[in-house]
Amino acid sequence: MNAVARIIDWPAEATDGNTQVLWDAATAARAMKGTASGDFAISGVEIDSREVQPGDLFFALKGEAMDGHRFVEDALARGAAAVVVDRSVGGPHILVSDTMEALERLGAAARLRARGPIIGVTGSVGKTGVKEMIFAALDRHSKGDAHRSVKSYNNHVGVPLSLARMPARTRFGIFEMGMNHAGEIAGLTRQVRPNVAVITTIAPAHIEMLGSEEAIADAKAEIFQGLEADGIAIIPADSPHYPRLRAAALACGANVVSFGKASHADVRLLDMVSAIGGGSLVTVDMGDRRVCYTVAAPGEHQVVNSLAVMAAVRAVNGDLGAAGVALAEMDGLAGRGARIEITVEGGTALLIDESYNANPASMRATLAQLGRTPAQRRIAVLGAMKELGSHGPDYHAALAIPIREAGVDQVFTVGEEMIALAAELGKSDGAALGKPAAFAHCANVREAIDAVRAFGLKRDDAILVKGSNSVGLAALVAAFGKQEG
């Protein structure tokens, strides 16, 4: 069997039978500067007692409104190997002075024993998708020895938790880092200590807290502060903040690799054409070679994201062929581009699930992709974009332009912030480019579900559902994903 065949035929699960213990009691206790009540083996790490699996180590963390010590008995009943606590309890445990500090110490120990390169990913848009694509590529290359932060575990709790879960056998680690305020990524990147740091893009997400896109760029660029010696910074060449990001990376001693459509990009998009069954066939110039591959997820923004993936894979000496296969196989993630066939009047329709997150840049990108999606009618259910502060009304109203350009037939706006867009759509402007869309404003998701049902979805409709996670549009996706017409 040749190398290409081995890449393509590699199964989803590793088959070498190596299921070694994640931590033993003595090693974990020593790392956390705690005292173990006995000898036990740990196969996982968890902070939510409801998610505990047999063999897990449960951390009883203290929050502003909840103390995890209340759920110690529940965690043990679910099969936890032990619990990490700051007071003596019945059952196997590790006693520490502070459970949050203990989690950070265990994460630091996992990072210290890592035997392969670590990649950190941040950005205003696309960081979770890029993290998942890099993981898929390197997991295929390493035949199951890649590790990444799951879901969006990218904050002060999620990052050390994800590190603590990293097996000693890991050959590649990929960690997402997010923030709401300046200084947060600086703390996270010093825990992750990446060999490669990726910034996907800069957009006005969290502008309410930071005040300007320049400040957002500076906050994202904090990821370079944790880079290991001879680290590589991967940054978007097409961003207006490229010079700012590059300067920040160089100031931290990083080697800079840029990606995008710009002529100066180190990983440069040469061509993209529609692929059979959706997605894009992509040709990329990587300096010393050209690479062709397919990106299954539709949209130009996904193609640009794939350039960052290829840059990261090459930076850690991964297999570009394996990366191409992984990108060709990856569909959209739930809440982040998943394309769901739903049963409607007369047949089926396409529901595009972008319900997890929204900001002005991602809204424009997904609306443009909706406009390129074959459909009898194009429908957009758009929830409020959060954390835009005083800029919010203008950003929401400005969505009228990409809606018209995409040829959207019907818009449902959801949430108080979306009133600005509804007002803009209600204006009569014969000079505006594109056709005007019919619209209806809904105060909440429940109203939106009722309004869409009353509107009546039909065969060959394409429905985009997008908004900030707190709006709750995942409930609408679930409601129509289960309907039977």
Side-chain angles (χ1 to χ4, degrees):
M1 182 182 290
N2 63 30
V4 172
R6 284 196 296 271
I7 290 170
I8 294 174
D9 291 342
W10 177 68
E13 295 82 25
T15 56
D16 62 4
N18 189 345
T19 56
Q20 63 192 124
V21 171
L22 182 62
W23 298 99
D24 61 65
T27 303
R30 186 166 56 250
M32 294 185 284
K33 297 187 177 180
T35 303
S37 64
D39 187 21
F40 42 81
I42 299 161
S43 57
V45 181
E46 188 53 73
I47 60 172
D48 186 337
S49 64
R50 297 166 297 183
E51 301 293 330
V52 166
Q53 299 294 316
D56 281 353
L57 179 66
F58 171 70
F59 278 78
L61 301 182
K62 294 180 180 178
E64 293 182 2
M66 195 67 66
D67 186 345
H69 290 81
R70 292 176 50 189
F71 307 103
V72 163
E73 290 186 7
D74 184 45
L76 292 170
R78 290 175 181 269
V83 296
V84 179
V85 292
D86 63 12
R87 67 204 70 164
S88 294
V89 297
H93 64 273
I94 298 176
L95 184 64
V96 299
S97 59
D98 184 290
T99 54
M100 186 63 224
E101 287 183 4
L103 179 60
E104 292 173 351
R105 290 181 188 278
L106 191 61
R111 176 63 183 92
L112 188 64
R113 72 180 182 181
R115 62 191 180 103
I118 302 296
I119 300 172
V121 182
T122 193
S124 301
V125 184
K127 55 185 176 289
T128 299
V130 167
K131 177 256 298 181
E132 290 293 327
M133 287 190 282
I134 295 172
F135 168 75
L138 295 175
D139 202 46
R140 178 174 288 276
H141 167 73
S142 64
K143 293 182 170 60
D145 281 349
H147 172 79
R148 93 292 204 185
S149 48
V150 298
K151 302 179 183 177
S152 288
Y153 284 7
N154 60 19
N155 63 7
H156 70 287
V157 176
V159 166
L161 173 63
S162 298
L163 284 166
R165 289 172 168 175
M166 182 166 55
R169 62 181 278 179
T170 298
R171 290 177 58 193
F172 301 100
I174 308 97
F175 297 91
E176 179 181 338
M177 287 172 254
M179 61 89 187
N180 292 314
H181 299 84
E184 291 177 342
I185 286 180
L188 300 177
T189 191
R190 290 191 175 99
Q191 294 180 58
V192 174
R193 290 168 40 218
N195 303 98
V196 177
V198 181
I199 293 182
T200 57
T201 191
I202 303 298
H206 312 303
I207 199 168
E208 178 181 12
M209 288 75 171
L210 293 163
S212 69
E213 281 197 20
E214 289 77 13
I216 293 170
D218 291 342
K220 297 296 183 183
E222 291 172 11
I223 193 172
F224 306 136
Q225 296 175 18
L227 274 171
E228 294 285 85
D230 298 318
I232 297 174
I234 298 174
I235 61 176
D238 304 323
S239 172
H241 307 290
Y242 167 77
R244 197 180 197 95
L245 297 174
R246 184 174 184 274
L250 292 174
C252 293
N255 300 297
V256 176
V257 176
S258 60
F259 67 92
K261 297 181 288 183
S263 60
H264 65 268
D266 299 303
V267 179
R268 182 165 62 94
L269 178 64
L270 295 178
D271 189 34
M272 58 174 285
V273 296
S274 297
I276 296 174
S280 305
L281 180 64
V282 180
T283 304
V284 176
D285 182 0
M286 301 192 74
D288 62 343
R289 70 186 70 180
R290 291 187 176 184
V291 180
C292 295
Y293 56 90
T294 297
V295 179
E300 183 177 325
H301 59 298
Q302 298 289 8
V303 169
V304 174
N305 285 344
S306 78
L307 306 181
V309 174
M310 286 297 187
V313 169
R314 192 174 199 193
V316 295
N317 296 315
D319 191 307
L320 295 177
V325 173
L327 290 169
E329 292 179 345
M330 284 194 70
D331 295 322
L333 305 174
R336 294 183 172 90
R339 298 166 80 84
I340 305 166
E341 187 178 274
I342 62 174
T343 302
V344 296
E345 178 186 339
T348 60
L350 174 66
L351 190 151
I352 305 168
D353 178 13
E354 289 273 1
S355 60
Y356 188 82
N357 201 0
N359 59 55
S362 64
M363 277 284 197
R364 289 193 300 271
T366 50
L367 283 166
Q369 181 55 35
L370 177 63
R372 291 189 289 268
T373 301
Q376 289 296 317
R377 299 185 302 179
R378 296 181 179 89
I379 300 154
V381 183
L382 305 179
M385 301 180 290
K386 300 294 185 178
E387 299 182 354
L388 296 177
S390 61
H391 305 271
D394 289 340
Y395 279 124
H396 284 87
L399 294 177
I401 296 173
I403 286 170
R404 292 189 180 104
E405 291 175 345
V408 177
D409 297 281
Q410 174 71 40
V411 179
F412 296 92
T413 56
V414 186
E416 181 179 356
E417 295 93 330
M418 274 290 174
I419 291 175
L421 173 58
E424 188 67 22
L425 292 173
K427 295 178 181 178
S428 177
D429 185 0
L433 293 175
K435 68 177 183 180
F439 70 95
H441 180 70
C442 308
N444 52 51
V445 175
R446 181 69 259 171
E447 285 188 16
I449 292 172
D450 292 341
V452 174
R453 282 183 173 150
F455 173 75
L457 299 179
K458 296 181 180 180
R459 177 181 176 181
D460 295 332
D461 282 346
I463 309 99
L464 169 65
V465 181
K466 186 167 182 64
S468 290
N469 189 42
S470 60
V471 178
L473 287 177
L476 186 144
V477 172
F480 287 94
K482 296 176 183 176
Q483 73 176 41
E484 300 178 354

